[in-house]
Amino acid sequence: MYRLTAEGVLPHTPPMYRRLSARLAQARREGRFPDLIDTVREVHVPPAWPSADAFVTEMPGWFRLDRTAGQEHALYVAAEKDTLRQQLTGAGSRSVVLGGAGLLHPASQGL
C-alpha cells in the first residue's frame, strides 16, 4: 500500500487500504499471492551463547551511549508499521511505531 501510494498509483485513504487488503487476502486464499512474513507473531527467543567467553567477546558490540543524554530535545523517527522497527532501531536511532491504517496526515483528517 505504502509503496503504491508513494508512487502515486493509489490514494492514501482508509477505504483504499481496506479494499487493497481485501483483494490481497482473496488472492492469498486462492493461491495467487505469496505467503507473507508475519512479524507480529514471531517467537522471541532470548539470546544465548555457547560459553561465557563467547558472551564476553560479543558484549562490546552491544554497548551504546545515549546520544540524547543532557539534551533538551530528542529526535525520534516515527513509522506506521511495526515491520519497519528493526530497520529503524538497527541504526541506533530512537523510534516509535504508531501502527494502524488510521494514521493519516492531520490535514487529511481536517485537523
Side-chain angles (χ1 to χ4, degrees):
M1 173 69 183
Y2 306 103
R3 181 143 187 198
L4 294 170
T5 298
E7 293 180 13
V9 176
L10 296 177
H12 188 245
T13 63
M16 182 55 71
Y17 184 90
R18 289 188 297 271
R19 182 176 174 200
L20 180 62
S21 293
R23 286 188 176 196
L24 292 177
Q26 182 65 34
R28 279 193 293 277
R29 285 189 292 273
E30 295 171 356
R32 297 182 295 115
F33 195 83
D35 290 335
L36 300 175
I37 296 172
D38 185 351
T39 59
V40 176
R41 292 178 185 94
E42 68 183 84
V43 175
H44 297 277
V45 179
W49 295 265
S51 68
D53 289 337
F55 170 72
V56 171
T57 300
E58 278 190 44
M59 191 174 38
W62 290 15
F63 178 77
R64 286 188 177 73
L65 292 173
D66 181 357
R67 298 180 194 175
T68 61
Q71 295 180 5
E72 184 178 347
H73 302 283
L75 177 65
Y76 287 78
V77 177
E80 184 175 351
K81 294 294 182 183
D82 191 53
T83 53
L84 299 174
R85 179 177 37 89
Q86 186 61 39
Q87 292 173 331
L88 297 172
T89 57
S93 62
R94 291 174 180 235
S95 61
V96 60
V97 176
L98 305 172
L103 178 67
L104 297 174
H105 189 277
S108 69
Q109 298 181 19
L111 303 175

